Amino acid sequence: MSLKGLQKAAIRAPQLFKAKYNLGENTKDAVYIDSERRFQELETETKKLHDESKKYFDAINGMLNHQIEFSKAIQEIYKPISGRVSDPDSAIPEGNPEGIRACEEYETIVRELQATLAPELEMIEQRVIAPADELLTVIKAVRKMTVKRQHKQLDYDRRRTTFKKLQEKKEKSLKDEKAMYKAESEVEQATQEFNYFNDLLKDELPKLFHLEREFIRPLFQSFYYMQLNVFYTLHERMQSIDIGYFDLTQDVEGAFGKQRGDIQDQVEQLTIVHFKATGGKKPSRFGGDGKLAIEGKSPSAVSRRRSNESLSSPPPPYSSSISSVLNGSSSSSMARANSTGSSWGAAAKAKGAAPPPPKPKPSRLAGAHTGPTATAMYDYEAQAEGDLSFSTGDVIEITQKGATENEWWSGKLRGREGQFPGNYVQAD
């Protein structure tokens, strides 16, 4: 918008506000209002006609392209993963040669269909989409005329209001007389300009509506016949397909069931297709005395509870060679069964008998913690992130205690919080 246009917009803004909220005197022409409403509907529907025609054109092209890509994907699945030891059919030259040939024949047929339908689709673009574009161009020009008429109406109402105020003023000065004379001439000019655009649109909008109906009639007829040609060509070509891989003597559901067989049941039997496992509690191979680590025995596996599992659903075994621990929320259970591995047992055996626990600290030194505590019987160095290191004799605040001493406990020491083996400490 130019500078002059911005200035006019600023001048018309107060009157536009009054017209929007029906304040003061506003010119209303019932005939034009009805014509403008019908024109707005025509504008909306023409834009929709253009967009939907373009979408239909793209959809037919896209459908054929998707058919080709679908065939390529099936063909790749039929082929073995050449050279991969994970594929049981990698030694076979072709995993499904009949299926691959069927995919190639199908792709050839669809490409021929694309070439056959190209002229029909081009006609849709020429006889439907392009004329809709032309109609939109005409409608945009008419829309500019309606905007011009609205501006002239705002100027007419604004100048008429100004002239009426000056006219109703009781005591007029010479300056007021000059202003009223000027306002009167402005009102006459604004009236002529508004009446010109208002009468022009009232006269020619109905003609546009009639021509629009005549324009749509051949457009719709052309689209209908071209659509028939497209679907007839698709049906005729696909009906004549003779690919031996497909059994066309059966109905769709019967052929599908025969080809699938019991594949779905076999897939369901695979453990990896189930997202959540309901692993049950496994009996300990080392008995329930919970003193394996202290006696120097080395268990072969360490099981760890997952943070998102309930206490009634223990997880599968966990190897002690895993370098990282599972970090869960402080509220979730985090117990580890058979927690002390061979390294801790060897360290305990090499050190010999544990010293007696020290006397409890006086209450004035114990801090504000009033919950359970435990005294460290051994030195423990953190084995992974989230573990709590301590030395013999340290008093640890217990925040979460396992069911037995053979599980992982949680606690705080000198401002740090973490997990530690329960059989390295003695509960106070």
Side-chain angles (χ1 to χ4, degrees), residues 260-314:
R260 185 176 66 172
D262 62 343
I263 294 299
Q264 185 174 0
D265 296 334
Q266 295 181 35
V267 171
E268 289 293 334
Q269 293 176 6
L270 298 176
T271 306
I272 58 175
V273 303
H274 301 289
F275 179 70
K276 290 186 178 180
T278 58
K281 189 172 183 179
K282 298 184 179 180
S284 174
R285 294 171 53 193
F286 307 101
D289 55 0
K291 299 179 181 179
L292 297 177
I294 299 177
E295 296 174 0
K297 295 181 181 180
S298 176
S300 61
V302 179
S303 68
R304 176 175 299 184
R305 292 187 183 276
R306 297 181 183 175
S307 60
N308 292 331
E309 295 283 348
S310 64
L311 291 174
S312 61
S313 300

Side-chain angles (χ1 to χ4, degrees), residues 9-24:
I11 294 172
R12 292 167 180 154
Q15 186 62 38
L16 181 62
F17 179 81
K18 292 179 182 180
K20 184 177 181 180
Y21 294 99
N22 200 24
L23 302 175

Side-chain angles (χ1 to χ4, degrees), residues 124-136:
I124 292 177
E125 190 169 19
Q126 293 175 353
R127 297 187 181 181
V128 179
I129 300 176
D133 277 335
E134 295 175 0
L135 182 57
L136 278 177

Side-chain angles (χ1 to χ4, degrees), residues 101-117:
R101 281 196 299 271
C103 289
E104 292 173 349
E105 292 179 28
Y106 179 79
E107 182 179 344
T108 302
I109 292 171
V110 176
R111 291 193 182 279
E112 291 175 356
L113 263 176
Q114 276 186 319
T116 304
L117 292 175

Side-chain angles (χ1 to χ4, degrees), residues 233-249:
T233 304
L234 284 171
H235 178 268
E236 184 181 29
R237 189 67 187 92
M238 299 304 291
Q239 192 74 11
S240 63
I241 289 179
D242 186 14
I243 299 177
Y245 188 73
F246 303 127
D247 185 5
L248 301 180
T249 60

